[in-house]
């Protein structure tokens, strides 16, 4: 067998985090390497992860480990994980995971990508794993991957708008899933725009309830919890069903703009730049994870007039424990309803839904009261002006 054919047979697996698998699969498939998608995260994934993890470690670790165990069981040759020298446990994931995976049958190798080496790390990794030496092919694969990430984030934003207003619940979600599959299989940069346009066209055909009183809520917190629908118990879908349009400023595309895009190519204010500005009165430096963004997102949600903010964090996540301790100081200056959800493998579904419903109810009553107070004030002023 030629070296080239052998390379093509390599199975490379990445963990799930929301729909990010579409990006990983694109980068590998477009260079002729078989991207191996571990089964979508399920209760089985979680129980495998929990079984082989230290009890007090954060939920993202348990879910990623569960993904990797399933990938190894299904014959992956490599599992790839990002790492970071930051102030949280992400930098420790590799050491712990390697020990667990080394005990498993087979010869799966663990590869770590340094998060803040950005394009350089991706370029090196793709060249080594694919054997492709032509820099133009690698750059083309990276452009295709990054464009997909931006398109997915825009599609999710539109999905959130329509989902909160649709008459038949689940209709928009099905449209999104259909077009996501097309995006996954698309290896042509020119076709991407067409998929996005068709998705929008299909959404615009969905029957909407024009009388629904739609609320808006910003979702912030630890990035894995914010992006991964299994980890956050499909929070955005549930809120959509309750007539709430969600918005996240922590997205993979915002991370790409902040962490790995050279300054020269950045346009406008990035999420991190805005976060530093809005968090400054309460937090003056990065304390690890996404704590800075969480603190700033509360001020920003208030500034924008959003109806509420939901903060999601894994149990035992140090950076988010600190951000929660800063929230009361922010609350002294901003008046916005905040729901903090601390989640782990024990979080029950029924209690979670009840808390969401109660929060939505609170936001709705507050919004009506604010509207009534405003109308009363205008009436009083009009009477005073006439008299
Ligand atoms: S930010 Fe928190 S949850 Fe995420 S890896 Fe770090 S400690 Fe774990």
């Amino acid at each position: 067998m030629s070296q080239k054919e052998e390379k093509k047979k390599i199975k490379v697996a990445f963990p799930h985090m929301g729909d990010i698998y579409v990006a990983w699969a694109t980068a590998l498939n477009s260079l002729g390497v078989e991207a191996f998608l571990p089964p979508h995260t399920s209760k089985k994934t979680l129980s495998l992860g929990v079984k082989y993890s230290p009890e007090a470690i954060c939920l993202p670790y348990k879910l990623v480990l569960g993904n990797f165990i399933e990938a190894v069981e299904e014959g992956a040759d490599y599992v790839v994980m990002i790492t970071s020298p930051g102030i949280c446990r992400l930098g420790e994931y590799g050491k712990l995971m390697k020990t667990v995976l080394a005990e498993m049958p087979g010869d799966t190798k663990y590869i770590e990508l340094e998060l803040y080496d950005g394009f350089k790390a991706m370029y090196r990794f793709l060249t080594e794993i694919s054997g492709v030496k032509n820099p133009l092919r690698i750059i083309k694969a990276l452009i295709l991957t990054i464009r997909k990430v931006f398109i997915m984030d825009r599609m999710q934003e539109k999905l959130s708008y329509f989902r909160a207003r649709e008459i038949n619940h689940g209709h928009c979600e099905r449209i999104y899933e259909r077009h996501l599959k097309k995006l996954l299989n698309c290896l042509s940069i020119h076709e991407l725009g067409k998929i996005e346009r068709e998705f929008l066209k299909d959404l615009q055909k969905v029957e909407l309830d024009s009388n629904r009183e739609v609320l808006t809520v910003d979702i912030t917190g630890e990035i894995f919890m914010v992006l991964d629908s299994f980890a956050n118990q499909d929070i955005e879908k549930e809120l959509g069903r309750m007539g709430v349009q969600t918005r996240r400023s922590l997205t993979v595309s915002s991370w790409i703009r902040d962490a790995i895009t050279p300054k020269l190519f950045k346009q406008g204010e990035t999420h991190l730049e805005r976060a530093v500005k809005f968090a400054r009165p309460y937090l003056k430096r990065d304390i690890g994870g996404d704590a800075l963004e969480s603190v700033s997102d509360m001020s920003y949600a208030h500034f924008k007039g959003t109806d509420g903010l939901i903060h999601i964090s894994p149990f035992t996540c140090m950076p988010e424990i600190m951000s929660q301790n800063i929230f009361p100081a922010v609350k002294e200056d901003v008046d916005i309803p905040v729901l903090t959800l601390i989640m782990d493998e024990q979080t029950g579904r029924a209690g979670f839904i009840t808390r969401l419903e109660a929060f939505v109810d609170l936001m709705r009553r507050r919004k009506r009261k604010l509207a009534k107070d405003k109308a009363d004030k205008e009436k009083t002023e009009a009477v005073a002006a006439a008299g």
Side-chain angles (χ1 to χ4, degrees), residues 274-285:
R274 192 188 74 211
V276 169
K277 195 168 78 192
F278 276 85
R280 194 169 295 133
Y282 317 99
L283 182 59
K284 298 209 171 6
R285 69 174 195 91

Side-chain angles (χ1 to χ4, degrees), residues 20-281:
I20 192 72
Y21 68 91
V22 173
W24 293 124
T26 300
L28 293 170
N29 289 341
S30 60
L31 293 170
V33 177
E34 186 181 337
F36 180 77
L37 300 181
H40 279 284
T41 309
S42 63
K43 283 190 177 155
K44 182 184 165 217
T45 318
L46 176 62
S47 57
L48 281 171
V50 169
K51 188 169 168 191
Y52 295 101
S53 299
E55 194 187 348
I57 203 158
C58 42
L59 186 60
Y61 175 90
K62 294 172 184 168
L63 292 174
V64 170
L65 180 64
N67 284 153
F68 283 164
I69 292 174
E70 289 187 308
V72 172
E73 282 175 352
E74 296 204 15
D77 299 295
Y78 292 91
V79 292
V80 186
M81 180 61 193
I82 49 163
T83 183
S84 149
I87 320 163
C88 85
R89 292 194 190 110
L90 184 59
E92 300 301 312
Y93 276 24
K95 268 183 256 157
L96 293 170
M97 282 185 189
K98 271 187 227 167
T99 324
V100 177
L101 298 179
E103 300 287 310
M104 295 188 66
D107 185 27
T108 309
K109 293 178 183 62
Y110 187 94
I111 300 182
E112 270 185 341
L113 291 182
E114 186 60 65
L115 196 62
Y116 290 100
D117 275 357
F119 286 119
K120 243 196 309 170
M122 278 301 282
Y123 187 95
R124 223 173 20 236
F125 163 70
L126 289 175
T127 310
E128 279 167 19
I129 205 96
S130 67
V132 174
K133 299 281 182 280
N134 180 346
L136 281 178
R137 273 193 71 193
I138 304 276
I139 291 170
K140 218 171 137 194
L142 281 169
I143 293 175
L144 179 71
T145 305
I146 290 169
R147 286 200 62 186
K148 279 195 190 182
V149 169
F150 279 82
I151 289 177
M152 278 193 293
D153 282 342
R154 286 201 294 271
M155 281 170 62
Q156 285 168 11
E157 217 179 293
K158 294 286 174 201
L159 167 66
S160 173
Y161 175 90
F162 283 87
R163 185 172 45 199
R165 292 163 175 85
E166 67 186 350
I167 289 179
N168 299 313
H169 294 304
H171 191 172
C172 295
E173 203 73 41
R174 285 194 294 277
I175 293 175
Y176 174 76
E177 292 300 333
R178 206 170 60 233
H179 289 277
L180 190 68
K181 212 173 271 173
K182 285 189 200 167
L183 208 59
L184 172 65
N185 296 324
C186 174
L187 293 181
S188 151
I189 293 182
H190 306 292
E191 289 291 305
L192 296 179
K194 195 172 150 215
I195 296 174
E196 190 178 4
R197 284 194 296 280
E198 281 174 359
F199 166 71
L200 270 178
K201 234 194 243 169
D202 284 351
L203 273 188
Q204 275 151 6
K205 288 184 206 147
V206 171
E207 210 183 336
L208 302 182
D209 179 354
S210 54
N211 295 322
R212 188 170 300 161
E213 186 187 20
V214 173
L215 298 168
T216 52
V217 77
D218 281 8
I219 298 187
T220 191
E222 196 269 345
I223 191 163
F224 188 97
M225 300 301 291
V226 171
L227 298 185
D228 192 75
S229 58
F230 182 87
N232 65 35
Q233 303 213 12
D234 261 326
I235 191 166
E236 292 194 70
K237 218 187 272 181
E238 287 306 329
L239 287 165
R241 197 177 51 76
M242 296 173 200
V244 181
Q245 182 183 337
T246 52
R247 199 191 64 91
R248 312 178 233 124
S249 39
L250 264 179
T251 56
V252 180
S253 58
S254 75
W255 178 81
I256 288 177
R257 287 187 71 217
D258 273 319
I260 58 177
T261 306
K263 257 196 181 145
L264 196 67
F265 299 107
K266 284 185 192 171
Q267 286 172 353
E269 190 178 47
T270 67
H271 179 223
L272 185 62
E273 285 161 0
R274 192 188 74 211
V276 169
K277 195 168 78 192
F278 276 85
R280 194 169 295 133

